[in-house]
Amino acid sequence: MEQEVIQETYSNFHSDYNTSKDKIELRGYGRNIQKMVEHCLGIEDRAERTRCACSIIKTMERVRPMGYAQNTLWDHIYFISGYKLDIDYPNGYVPQKLGTLTSATETVPYPKNGFRFRHYGNNIQLAIQKAIEMEDEVNRRKLTVMIANQMKRCYVLYNKDTVTDNKIFDDLEKMSNGKLVIKDGEIKLVEAQTILSTPAPANNQQGGGKSKKKKKKK
């Protein structure tokens, strides 16, 4: 008798285990939404079936308050139904298959610059390219010096160590393929100690510094 009870308990548990249930089409909405849609499909009256679908849409909004557009929710419920939900969709909307939507979406490529000096960052590389393209020699020289100073800031903050100006000039020449050249000793870049000792900008309070309490007039 005891063995039969154990077997029955195991059978009931096993039959209700998730792996034995039907696949959830859109996992984000959960199994209950899918059961609602299945119930909706079984309603014979079209008007009643439409009202049921509208109620499911409202429930979907509460289950996943993601701010989806109404048309997106109708696409989702259409997908959950296996593209079988035949109702009067609002405003004559024709739901789209999710396969069509995903195939139309293009993957945004991640920028792959491939340069060795990653500690300087991509913006430095872009600035170097901008300087190379400048025709005015004076302005290009000014921009080159600004780039070199910023490169030193990036290097020091990244490595937390000092670096010679000559090292920065060498890296600048390599990154620009020899088109931006500053000779050693030609200019003096910002001091590494100044970079390390400069505090991060803080949020300024109104009026600057600590707020002072106003004295009550007697």
Side-chain angles (χ1 to χ4, degrees), residues 50-62:
T50 300
R51 286 193 291 270
C52 179
C54 291
S55 298
I56 296 174
I57 290 294
K58 293 179 180 178
T59 305
M60 290 167 66
E61 289 177 320
R62 291 194 293 268

Side-chain angles (χ1 to χ4, degrees), residues 9-166:
T9 303
Y10 173 78
S11 300
N12 292 336
F13 171 76
H14 185 267
S15 62
D16 196 43
Y17 195 65
N18 284 340
T19 55
S20 64
K21 294 180 180 179
D22 294 335
K23 176 184 176 183
I24 300 178
E25 296 300 337
L26 284 180
R27 301 175 69 88
Y29 292 110
R31 189 173 300 278
N32 288 335
I33 292 294
Q34 183 159 311
K35 289 182 178 180
M36 292 179 188
V37 175
E38 291 171 357
H39 169 75
C40 186
L41 289 173
I43 300 175
E44 295 183 1
D45 183 73
R46 185 183 182 88
E48 182 64 27
R49 192 166 60 245
T50 300
R51 286 193 291 270
C52 179
C54 291
S55 298
I56 296 174
I57 290 294
K58 293 179 180 178
T59 305
M60 290 167 66
E61 289 177 320
R62 291 194 293 268
V63 171
R64 293 204 69 189
M66 301 292 291
Y68 287 133
Q70 283 290 314
N71 289 350
T72 301
L73 292 173
W74 286 114
D75 292 336
H76 288 176
I77 194 175
Y78 187 53
F79 173 78
I80 294 172
S81 70
Y83 305 122
K84 299 176 183 178
L85 187 59
D86 183 19
I87 60 172
D88 296 322
Y89 289 91
N91 302 319
Y93 178 68
V94 179
Q96 301 183 51
K97 292 185 176 182
L98 294 190
T100 304
L101 296 175
T102 53
S103 61
T105 304
E106 297 181 359
T107 303
V108 178
Y110 187 80
K112 296 181 180 179
N113 300 305
F115 61 92
R116 293 180 298 156
F117 307 94
R118 294 184 180 275
H119 49 278
Y120 292 125
N122 187 50
N123 287 337
I124 289 293
Q125 187 69 50
L126 295 175
I128 288 174
Q129 186 60 37
K130 182 68 176 179
I132 293 174
E133 296 172 356
M134 294 181 70
E135 296 181 358
D136 186 273
E137 290 292 338
V138 175
N139 289 331
R140 181 165 68 171
R141 183 64 176 179
K142 290 180 179 179
L143 181 56
T144 301
V145 174
M146 291 173 61
I147 292 172
N149 274 299
Q150 186 59 32
M151 285 174 62
K152 188 168 183 178
R153 292 188 183 93
C154 293
Y155 188 102
V156 172
L157 293 175
Y158 182 84
N159 293 283
K160 299 297 181 182
D161 197 5
T162 58
V163 61
T164 63
D165 290 357
N166 192 36

Side-chain angles (χ1 to χ4, degrees), residues 167-184:
K167 166 64 177 172
I168 299 299
F169 300 152
D170 288 343
D171 289 349
L172 175 61
E173 186 173 352
K174 291 175 183 177
M175 293 173 69
S176 65
N177 295 321
K179 296 179 180 178
L180 300 180
V181 179
I182 301 177
K183 296 180 180 179
D184 187 26

